[in-house]
Amino acid sequence: MSQPFLQIDGLAKRFPSGKDDTLTVFENVDFDIEKGEFVCIIGHSGCGKSTIMNVLAGLDEPTDGVVTMDGREVSGPSLERGVVFQNYSLLPWLTALKNVTFGVKARHPDWSAERIRQHSYKFLEMVGLTNGAEHRKPSQLSGGMRQRVSIARAFATEPKLLLLDEPFGALDALTRGTIQDELLRIWQDSGQTVFMITHDVDEAILLADRILLMSNGPFAQVAESVVIDIPRPRKRTEMVHHPAYYKIRNHLVDFLSSRSAEIAASPREKDGSRRQPPTVRPGAEDDSPAPDAESARPHLVSLAG
Amino acid sequence: MTRSYDFRALLLSIVLLITLLGAWELATNTQAQGGGGELTEYERLMGAGSQRAGVPPPSEVIGKAWEELSDPFHNTGANDKGIGIQIAYSLMRVLSGYFLAALIALPVGFLIGMSPLMYKALDPFIQVLRPISPLAWMPLALFIIQDSEASSIFVIFICSIWPMLINTAFGVAGVRKDWVNVARTHELGPLKTAFQVILPAAAPTIVTGMRISIGIAWLVIVAAEMLVGGTGIGYYVWNEWNNLDLNSVIFSILMIGVVGMALDAVFARLQRFVTYTE
Ligand SMILES: Nc1ncnc2c1ncn2[C@@H]1O[C@H](COP(=O)(O)OP(=O)(O)O)[C@@H](O)[C@H]1O
Ligand SMILES: [Mg+2]
C-alpha cells in the first residue's frame, strides 16, 4: 500500500499553564490527505486549527507526533508548502507585484528578472489583479485585493501543498464568492493539494472533497472526516438543489452546534494506536455509512505509545 | 483648501517674524537712546553704555550676516576664518563621529534585537552608559587619545550611538512575527531575511533613532568645540564672545539653528522614504 501524500500521526500540542501543569490544546490527531485533494477543516475557534496548520507548514513544532509529506518528515518551513495566512501577511513596504516576485525570486533564484516578472504577472492575472493595481502597496488595496495578492504569491511559488488559514474570513460575501471561484479554478488546473481552515459551512461544502471536523478544545480531536458527495463543477446556486447538500449541511451544523461540545465532554480513551477519524458520507445515496477502509489500515507510527 | 491653509500658516509665520524683529529693534534702539544721547568714544570703551545696551538690533545682525555670508569661506589666519569654514569643520566632526557610531550601533542593535538573550545581557551596560553626559567623557578622551580633534569626534560618537542602538534593537525586536514567517516559508536564509524583511520592517524605527542621534550630535558639537577650541562653529561662538562681537555671536547662533534644521530635514526625508503604512 502506497503512502498517502500527507500523513499526520499522533499530533498533540500542549502549552505549560501554571506551575507543573499543561494545557493540552489537541491530542491524538491522525489523518491523511491524498495528492490533489481539497480538504477543509472546521471547528470552533480556539480548538487548534491554526496550530495544526502551522505545524503542517513547519512554522510550529508539535509537542507529540509526526507530519510526513511525500515520505519525508516535516521539520521546518519549505517552499513545497505555501501558506496563505489569515491576515494575508503581505509585506507592506512592497507593492503587490513585488510581494509576488518576492516569492518567485525565493523559489527560482536563478531566474532572470524578466522571467520572474512574467511568471508573477501570470498569477496576478489569474487573480484579476493587473491594470495598475499591481503597482500599489497593500495599504492602498481593499481586503479582497490583498487576499488575491496573498493567494497569487502562494500559487506563484507552485508548492505541492497549499495551506490556507481562514483566507476569506474578512471579506464581504460578493468578493468571497469571486475569490472562491478563482481558487477552485487554479486548484483544478494545477493539481495541487489544498488544506484550508474555514468557519463557513457553505464555503467548505462548495470547495472541499472532504471536511475534517474538530471537536472543541481543550483535548480537541479530529472527530470525523466528512466526504462531500456532490459532483464538480459545483455552482453556488445549483449546489443547494442537490439532494446531498442539505444532508451534508445539516450534519455539519449539527456537529458544530451540539456534537463538538459533547465529544469534548465525553471521557477520553487513552491508547497510543493510530486512529483515523471515522469517515462519514451524509450525502451518499443510501444512508448507510460507507465501509471505512481507512480505519482498517494497520497503524504506522506511534509516538504517543 | 490645504493650500490656503498652508498659505495662512506661512502668512502668520511672517507676521510673527516681523513683529519679533520689530520689537527687538525697538527695544535695543530705545535702550541706546534712552541712555542719554550719544556716548563718547571714551564712555563706550569703558562700558558705560550699560550691559544691555550692548545687545545689537536686528538690523545690525542682518548687516553682519550679509557681510559674513557674502564671503563664507575666507581664511585669513587662525582667528579669522569664514563662517562656512567653521561650519564645515563642525560638520566634518559630527559626520565622522556619527558615521562611526552608526557603523557600530546598527549591527549591534540588530544583534540585540534578534536575540532576547543579548538584549538582557547588554541592557545593564546600556542603561549605565546612556545617561552619561557626552562631555563628561571629554577629559578621559583627551587623556587617552591625546588629540583634541579625535576627542571631539569620540564625544560625538559616544553621544550619537545610544539612540541608534536602542531604536535599532527595539525596531528589530518588534518586527511582526507574520513577516518573519513569510521569510521562513520562503526558505530565506538569515542574511536575506535580515536584509529583505527585518531591515525594511524595522527601518522607520531605526531611522527615527538616527534622526534623534544627529540632532543630539549637533547639540553636543557646539559645546565640545567650546571646550577644546581651535576651529568649528562652537569655537567661533566662544571666540566672538571673547571679542565682545555680539553681532557675530547672534549670527552664529542663528547659523547653528539653520544647519541643525537642515540636518534634521535630511533625516525627515529619509524617514518619509522608509515609512510604510500597514
Ligand atoms: N503560546 C500559547 N500559550 C498558551 N496557549 C496557547 C498559545 N498559543 C495558542 N494557545 C491556545 O491554543 C489554542 C488553539 O489556538 P488556535 O490554533 O489559534 O485555534 P483556532 O485557529 O482553532 O482558533 C487556543 O485555545 C489558544 O488559547
Ligand atoms: Mg485560527
Side-chain angles (χ1 to χ4, degrees):
Chain A
M1 195 160 137
S2 72
Q3 278 216 339
F5 170 67
L6 187 73
Q7 190 174 324
I8 287 91
D9 281 308
L11 219 58
K13 184 77 181 177
R14 295 175 236 278
F15 290 106
S17 78
K19 42 181 181 326
D20 307 327
D21 211 9
T22 55
L23 166 78
T24 301
V25 180
F26 54 79
E27 62 178 9
N28 297 331
V29 168
D30 307 272
F31 61 90
D32 294 341
I33 295 181
E34 297 302 329
K35 201 166 190 67
E37 244 190 323
F38 198 127
V39 175
C40 283
I41 187 163
I42 293 191
H44 283 285
S45 97
C47 68
K49 305 180 295 294
S50 296
T51 310
I52 289 182
M53 207 196 78
N54 283 335
V55 170
L56 298 192
L59 291 169
D60 199 355
E61 285 186 1
T63 316
D64 277 321
V66 187
V67 175
T68 317
M69 185 171 104
D70 259 348
R72 266 200 306 272
E73 186 181 327
V74 169
S75 59
S78 155
L79 278 159
E80 293 300 352
R81 292 182 293 280
V83 187
V84 175
F85 296 94
Q86 190 162 6
N87 49 10
Y88 323 134
S89 288
L90 298 174
L91 303 177
W93 56 89
L94 297 178
T95 62
L97 174 63
K98 288 275 171 59
N99 264 286
V100 179
T101 56
F102 176 92
V104 180
K105 222 182 286 177
R107 175 96 221 195
H108 304 286
D110 50 325
W111 280 12
S112 71
E114 180 54 26
R115 183 150 180 220
I116 289 173
R117 211 183 64 92
Q118 274 176 4
H119 186 83
S120 305
Y121 259 103
K122 194 173 108 193
F123 285 86
L124 280 165
E125 246 157 52
M126 211 179 289
V127 296
L129 250 191
T130 39
N131 47 50
E134 75 272 26
H135 296 303
R136 283 193 249 153
K137 301 262 176 78
S139 59
Q140 300 159 316
L141 298 173
S142 69
M145 290 160 109
R146 285 184 217 183
Q147 191 54 284
R148 284 166 207 240
V149 179
S150 179
I151 288 174
R153 181 177 66 187
F155 274 92
T157 57
E158 296 170 294
K160 288 184 185 155
L161 174 65
L162 262 159
L163 301 162
L164 303 110
D165 190 351
E166 302 197 21
F168 311 127
L171 305 184
D172 62 281
L174 214 63
T175 315
R176 194 185 316 166
T178 326
I179 307 187
Q180 281 167 348
D181 293 342
E182 281 161 8
L183 176 63
L184 270 182
R185 209 188 57 241
I186 304 173
W187 166 70
Q188 270 156 351
D189 293 347
S190 66
Q192 279 153 313
T193 309
V194 178
F195 180 80
M196 174 170 148
I197 300 173
T198 175
H199 57 241
D200 181 337
V201 168
D202 291 305
E203 175 174 274
I205 299 174
L206 175 74
L207 298 174
D209 294 319
R210 205 147 57 84
I211 301 176
L212 301 174
L213 299 178
M214 264 187 103
S215 61
N216 292 0
F219 298 100
Q221 294 182 338
V222 175
E224 271 178 21
S225 160
V226 179
V227 177
I228 309 302
D229 289 305
I230 300 177
R232 295 185 191 267
R234 299 173 191 157
K235 287 254 166 58
R236 206 168 283 99
T237 44
E238 294 161 21
M239 189 179 73
V240 296
H241 301 303
H242 193 277
Y245 175 76
Y246 275 103
K247 287 185 195 162
I248 296 171
R249 193 174 194 284
N250 287 340
H251 185 86
L252 299 179
V253 170
D254 175 54
F255 179 88
L256 287 177
S257 56
S258 56
R259 282 180 37 236
S260 60
E262 285 164 19
I263 293 170
S266 68
R268 286 168 284 121
E269 331 149 32
K270 277 229 167 177
D271 64 346
S273 67
R274 182 166 201 263
R275 276 163 318 165
Q276 291 275 327
T279 300
V280 293
R281 314 183 75 118
E285 289 299 325
D286 56 334
D287 268 342
S288 66
D292 198 346
E294 289 292 307
S295 60
R297 234 177 50 174
H299 106 229
L300 297 163
V301 186
S302 167
L303 288 184
Chain B
M1 180 63 211
T2 52
R3 204 173 142 184
S4 82
Y5 187 80
D6 287 349
F7 180 72
R8 268 155 52 204
L10 180 69
L11 211 67
L12 203 59
S13 295
I14 293 171
V15 168
L16 279 171
L17 179 69
I18 290 171
T19 318
L20 241 105
L21 289 179
W24 176 6
E25 181 82 45
L26 224 66
T28 42
N29 269 342
T30 50
Q31 194 94 47
Q33 269 137 33
E38 283 294 302
L39 294 166
T40 65
E41 186 72 9
Y42 176 75
E43 279 173 319
R44 210 176 286 198
L45 273 171
M46 296 313 286
S50 89
Q51 265 176 309
R52 284 201 296 166
V55 175
S59 48
E60 273 184 37
V61 175
I62 289 168
K64 177 76 191 174
W66 182 255
E67 186 189 313
E68 280 289 340
L69 289 175
S70 52
D71 186 16
F73 296 106
H74 71 267
N75 190 356
T76 45
N79 280 332
D80 190 22
K81 292 185 168 57
I83 186 89
I85 290 181
Q86 303 288 23
I87 288 176
Y89 271 114
S90 300
L91 272 178
M92 193 269 294
R93 285 176 194 134
V94 162
L95 293 181
S96 356
Y98 181 83
F99 183 72
L100 286 173
L103 219 58
I104 295 192
L106 299 183
V108 173
F110 223 91
L111 200 73
I112 298 176
M114 295 289 278
S115 150
L117 183 73
M118 287 295 280
Y119 206 126
K120 254 198 141 78
L122 286 177
D123 194 53
F125 295 96
I126 296 174
Q127 294 308 331
V128 170
L129 293 176
R130 191 175 61 129
I132 298 171
S133 162
L135 292 172
W137 292 98
M138 192 55 109
L140 193 63
L142 284 169
F143 176 74
I144 293 174
I145 307 174
Q146 301 272 329
D147 175 68
S148 65
E149 185 68 37
S151 296
S152 37
I153 290 176
F154 172 78
V155 166
I156 294 305
F157 166 83
I158 204 79
C159 78
S160 45
I161 199 166
W162 307 117
M164 278 196 270
L165 184 71
I166 291 166
N167 268 48
T168 304
F170 187 73
V172 167
V175 172
R176 286 206 5 216
K177 201 155 172 278
D178 298 336
W179 300 335
V180 180
N181 279 345
V182 169
R184 291 179 65 203
T185 53
H186 287 88
E187 293 185 44
L188 257 53
L191 220 59
K192 278 190 174 171
T193 305
F195 280 102
Q196 293 182 15
V197 177
I198 294 174
L199 189 63
T205 321
I206 296 174
V207 173
T208 303
M210 295 175 78
R211 192 174 170 185
I212 297 170
S213 279
I214 198 78
I216 293 177
W218 189 244
L219 289 179
V220 167
I221 193 64
V222 174
E225 285 169 346
M226 283 181 175
L227 261 169
V228 297
T231 48
I233 189 76
Y235 165 74
Y236 181 83
V237 176
W238 200 251
N239 192 38
E240 297 302 337
W241 158 241
N242 284 335
N243 297 341
L244 277 177
D245 183 354
L246 280 174
N247 276 330
S248 294
V249 169
I250 295 172
F251 165 64
S252 43
I253 288 173
L254 289 175
M255 285 311 291
I256 292 170
V258 169
V259 173
M261 183 178 77
L263 285 174
D264 189 64
V266 170
F267 281 88
R269 238 202 144 84
L270 184 62
Q271 203 167 25
R272 261 203 305 282
F273 179 71
V274 297
T275 297
Y276 53 84
T277 34
E278 282 185 36

